[in-house]
Amino acid sequence: MKASRIAAVAAVTGTAVLAVASPAFAHVSVQPEGTAAKGGYAVIDFKVPNERDNASTTKVEVNFPADHPIASVMPQPMAGWKIDVTKSKLAKPLEMHGEKIDQAVTKVTWTAEDKGIEPGYFQKFPLSVGALPENTDELVFKAVQTYSNKEVVRWIEVQQEGQEEPENPAPVLALSAATDDHHGSTTAEDTAAKTETTASSDDSGSSGGADTTARVLGVVGIVVGAAGVAYGVLAGRRRSTTGTEA
């Protein structure tokens, strides 16, 4: 009986710990679809879980870092959500594809036109962004989540090195090392080089095949010739033998 009571108490205690700890894992986060390389373009997803059992998430605001502005931000259309992109004038213009950009996106807001994110569910909010900065290893996006009961949760606390994760951490996007091609695709020069290499390989393969064929035919000719000579010698001997017998 005593052992069973201890087990019951332990089970209840474990459940309570999980109940207290679980909300810490359910916060707004951001992850790239693939990689997010410095200087390149990427599709990133903001994952927003609904942490309430009596209200739906009806609005999500994502603020872009002012110290690392991003010129191009394109949201993906989402059924049931109205999307607003806010731009602001830059103190220092950016250069993009040889052109100077004096505005950058500072905030993207998704507002539910239907039920929003209901209890027990989460939603991903995708954005195509670029060019990503080359002078930082990460980007911090401060987010604000609004519920149908008017409750507002601000995911704006920045993680400090060597300290525990804050209660409401801001989403952080880790940037990978820059690639040769910032768009992550094959350049025209690479394509031309590959085509030339393939053509060279085909030519060498063709010439090699021709040489092999010639060698085989030569060997066959020699064998046939030798067989003909041998046949001629044997035929001559038979004739000589026949004449002697006669």
Side-chain angles (χ1 to χ4, degrees):
M1 292 296 291
K2 187 178 292 185
S4 61
R5 287 179 183 177
I6 293 174
V9 171
V12 172
T13 305
T15 304
V17 170
L18 288 175
V20 172
S22 58
F25 296 99
H27 53 70
V28 177
S29 60
V30 59
Q31 290 291 335
E33 294 183 9
T35 59
K38 297 178 183 180
Y41 290 74
V43 175
I44 59 177
D45 294 326
F46 288 90
K47 182 181 177 181
V48 181
N50 187 31
E51 296 183 303
R52 304 293 179 263
D53 57 7
N54 60 350
S56 297
T57 297
T58 56
K59 188 177 182 181
V60 176
E61 301 171 66
V62 172
N63 294 277
F64 281 68
D67 54 343
H68 297 293
I70 299 176
S72 176
V73 177
M74 292 186 294
Q76 178 178 310
M78 296 176 60
W81 293 87
K82 177 178 176 289
I83 307 173
D84 294 307
V85 178
T86 303
K87 292 184 177 182
S88 299
K89 192 173 183 64
L90 296 173
K92 183 180 179 181
L94 297 173
E95 188 168 335
M96 188 175 180
H97 303 303
E99 297 183 2
K100 287 189 175 181
I101 308 296
D102 61 357
Q103 285 188 334
V105 173
T106 52
K107 183 170 67 173
V108 178
T109 304
W110 292 266
T111 305
E113 296 180 320
D114 196 1
K115 296 180 180 179
I117 308 173
E118 297 183 89
Y121 292 87
F122 74 90
Q123 179 78 53
K124 287 184 178 180
F125 297 84
L127 293 173
S128 174
V129 298
L132 296 171
E134 300 183 49
N135 57 347
T136 184
D137 294 327
E138 62 182 26
L139 292 175
V140 178
F141 299 87
K142 295 183 178 182
V144 180
Q145 181 178 12
T146 303
Y147 288 91
S148 55
N149 60 2
K150 306 304 179 182
E151 180 187 1
V152 176
V153 180
R154 303 182 185 276
W155 304 98
I156 61 174
E157 296 178 277
V158 180
Q159 174 73 53
Q160 301 299 323
E161 187 176 355
Q163 296 185 12
E164 294 183 359
E165 183 181 59
E167 184 178 354
N168 295 316
V172 178
L173 176 67
L175 302 181
S176 59
T179 58
D180 293 335
D181 176 20
H182 287 169
H183 291 269
S185 59
T186 305
T187 61
E189 291 80 0
D190 291 338
T191 303
K194 288 181 181 178
T195 303
E196 184 177 352
T197 302
T198 304
S200 300
S201 300
D202 291 343
D203 291 343
S204 61
S206 299
S207 60
D211 291 342
T212 302
T213 303
R215 289 173 184 172
V216 171
L217 291 176
V219 172
V220 171
I222 292 172
V223 172
V224 172
V229 172
Y231 178 78
V233 171
L234 290 173
R237 287 181 178 177
R238 286 178 181 176
R239 288 174 183 173
S240 298
T241 303
T242 304
T244 303
E245 290 176 352

